[in-house]
Amino acid sequence: MMNTALKLKLRKETGYQILFWIALLMFGIARNYGEHDYPDFSEVFYYDFCHWIFQIIGAHFIYFVLVRKYFDSGRYFLFTVCCLVSLYILGIVNRIFIIYLAEPFFADYPRESLAEIFTDVKYLLFYYLLPIVSGTFIFTAIMFILRYKNEKHSRLRLQKEKAELELKVLKSQLNPHFLFNTLNNIYSLALSDSKATAPSIGRLSDILDYVLGKGQYKIVTVAEEMQIVKDYIELEKLRYDDRLKVTVSENIQFPASVPPLVYLSLVENAFKHGAEKTGGKVEILISLVTDTGSAVFLVENTFLGNSAENERKGIGLQNVKQQLELYYADRYLLEVDKDKDRFLVKIKTPLLYD
């Protein structure tokens, strides 16, 4: 797969280069042809073609050798010196090539001596070096743009892969944690030979199907998430007597989606750090409201015990926060409010549709 992607990348960059160099050649011919009153097209073409060859050689040498070796490593002085020397040598070789190899085939002009070629710096600069420098500059600028685009694409792809990997880690932490608590509940029912054992196993089956199936999705509907929350609550209710009161309210005005297991994790925390740690009456309030812009989920529960224990720095709340950051970046709201005997967690997320 990597070889295929590399081949496609090389093929695309080669296509860009072919289009660029053909366009540069045509532009040079048109410009030089228009500068003369009675131009000879074949002569203009041959001269520009010879310059074009050295533009390609110079641009590739400077970008793929000097830029990669010196400029990218921060050795700017050495890059500048090598670049100037290389351009001068290329200009000399280009002029020798045209005068001694190319001109005899299409023109009959007096040949300049090698001494004249090396010492006539002004002519060399304007008629040989400038075309090479201009072509090299444009080519290098385009290659830097393409390289920036490719690096940005690679960086985004790596960030996406990193986020997906982190989400898998988060879910692998959450799933055993949830399963452990639920199995303990059913184990307690089985020991007491309760008639609620079979329905509890059925609910656990639905929850496991959701966790192992929908839990691997990027998003699920809030209705699906709330259904699993209700199944979980019914399992937890079997462990408590009348001292537990759970109130669930839903007002889904607009269809919305959320990352899976977010709501479930908060509800699980409410039971683990609230009901389990409290000997007296326990009240848990759960609500979900969706409107045109957001989905607001709230879990509030009573608790007793020392404050340090109820700060909830455990797996559940930390996973929720990390998962929200990965999905929404800074486009979500997570509020945690605690007083003497009540703990409240509220999350507000933008609507995500399947």
Side-chain angles (χ1 to χ4, degrees), residues 99 103 108-112:
I99 292 174
E103 276 187 353
D108 187 16
Y109 296 119
R111 292 186 181 180
E112 298 173 346

Side-chain angles (χ1 to χ4, degrees), residues 35-75:
E35 288 179 351
H36 299 82
D37 294 332
Y38 304 100
D40 183 347
F41 179 79
S42 61
E43 186 173 312
V44 172
F45 174 80
Y46 289 132
Y47 274 115
D48 283 338
F49 185 78
C50 292
H51 288 302
W52 183 67
I53 292 174
F54 282 86
Q55 282 180 318
I56 295 175
I57 295 173
H60 281 76
F61 177 77
I62 289 174
Y63 178 76
F64 288 104
V65 177
L66 299 185
V67 169
R68 295 293 180 87
K69 187 175 182 180
Y70 299 116
F71 188 85
D72 288 349
S73 60
R75 293 181 285 179

Side-chain angles (χ1 to χ4, degrees), residues 142-207:
I142 292 175
M143 293 304 294
F144 267 109
I145 293 172
L146 291 176
R147 189 166 78 172
Y148 172 78
K149 181 181 177 181
N150 291 334
E151 289 175 353
K152 183 179 179 181
H153 176 75
S154 299
R155 187 165 57 251
L156 291 174
R157 177 176 55 81
L158 290 174
Q159 288 177 350
K160 181 180 178 182
E161 291 176 355
K162 178 177 178 290
E164 291 177 351
L165 179 61
E166 289 177 348
L167 286 174
K168 289 180 180 179
V169 172
L170 293 177
K171 290 173 182 176
S172 69
Q173 290 177 341
L174 179 63
N175 295 351
H177 179 63
F178 167 76
L179 182 60
F180 177 78
N181 289 341
T182 307
L183 286 176
N184 272 346
N185 296 347
I186 295 178
Y187 178 70
S188 299
L189 291 172
L191 288 179
S192 62
D193 198 22
S194 172
K195 294 181 180 179
T197 303
S200 299
I201 293 174
R203 289 191 179 95
L204 176 60
S205 176
D206 292 338
I207 293 174

